[in-house]
Amino acid sequence: MSAALRWSGPAAAAMFAAVLVGFGLALSGYSQVWHPVAVLGAKGVPHAPGFNVLGFVLPGVLAATTALGLRRHLPADAGWPLRVGTQLVLLSALGFAAMGLLPLDPSDLDNPASSLHATAWMLWWVAFVPGALLVAVGLRGRPAWRVLARASTAAALLVLFVALLAVELMPAGIAQRFGYAVWLGWLCIASRNPRA
């Protein structure tokens, strides 16, 4: 397996975290607790294009590399749940990258630009949850893949919790970052899992 595939997940996680912290510190009044991540890339915000490329697009491309690497190194007898699951995980990565290409418009959260960003966010989690669950199902009974199978189940349930319920229980900024951290953690595991 190439070093690029093995390090794509950790690189996506490290890049996203560093960019989120750096751009957050550079924007006066920005709160990592209360503000959504997308505010840093919203139209009219200083340095927004840079954040969108470095915070969404490049980590999304690295996540897609992880998903493609996982699909490429599936066991020879992998069934349809595992193959479809990896395709959905790839679609999730593309949704994450699309959030950087379709920035929010903070002047009107109901306009087409903001709606497209929200659609990309929805694609990210709606594709990831069933994708990760299918990966878990497809890896059942494969001891070499046990860690990824368990991580896939846990990540799918946690991302679903964040998307549907967490904002009712904690500040929106914390909930969103928790969901992204779970997804990025899953990418780290998926990119370094033993290949069968």
Side-chain angles (χ1 to χ4, degrees), residues 72-83:
R72 182 177 172 201
H73 293 94
L74 289 177
D77 61 343
W80 73 264
L82 194 48
R83 296 187 185 284

Side-chain angles (χ1 to χ4, degrees), residues 110-181:
D110 293 321
N111 71 12
S114 294
S115 295
L116 288 173
H117 180 86
T119 300
W121 176 80
M122 186 172 283
L123 175 62
W124 165 72
W125 76 265
V126 168
F128 179 73
V129 170
L133 288 174
L134 285 171
V135 167
V137 168
L139 293 177
R140 258 188 333 204
R142 299 178 187 273
W145 296 77
R146 184 177 295 125
V147 171
L148 181 58
R150 290 179 179 168
S152 297
T153 301
L157 295 176
L158 287 170
V159 168
L160 183 64
F161 165 74
V162 166
L164 299 181
L165 299 172
V167 292
E168 303 297 328
L169 305 172
M170 61 186 78
I174 295 293
Q176 188 182 59
R177 283 157 182 77
F178 177 64
Y180 289 153

Side-chain angles (χ1 to χ4, degrees), residues 60 63-68 70-71 82-96 123-124 126-136 152 183 186-187 190:
T65 301
T66 299
L68 289 169
L70 180 61
R71 181 164 172 82
L82 194 48
R83 296 187 185 284
V84 171
T86 55
Q87 289 295 98
L88 287 171
V89 168
L90 172 62
L91 189 59
S92 171
L94 296 177
F96 191 84
L123 175 62
W124 165 72
V126 168
F128 179 73
V129 170
L133 288 174
L134 285 171
V135 167
S152 297
W183 177 69
W186 181 88
L187 289 171

Side-chain angles (χ1 to χ4, degrees), residues 33-63:
V33 173
W34 299 106
H35 292 121
V37 170
V39 167
L40 294 170
K43 292 181 179 181
V45 171
H47 314 296
F51 176 81
N52 285 326
V53 170
L54 298 173
F56 284 128
V57 176
L58 289 181
V61 169
L62 289 166

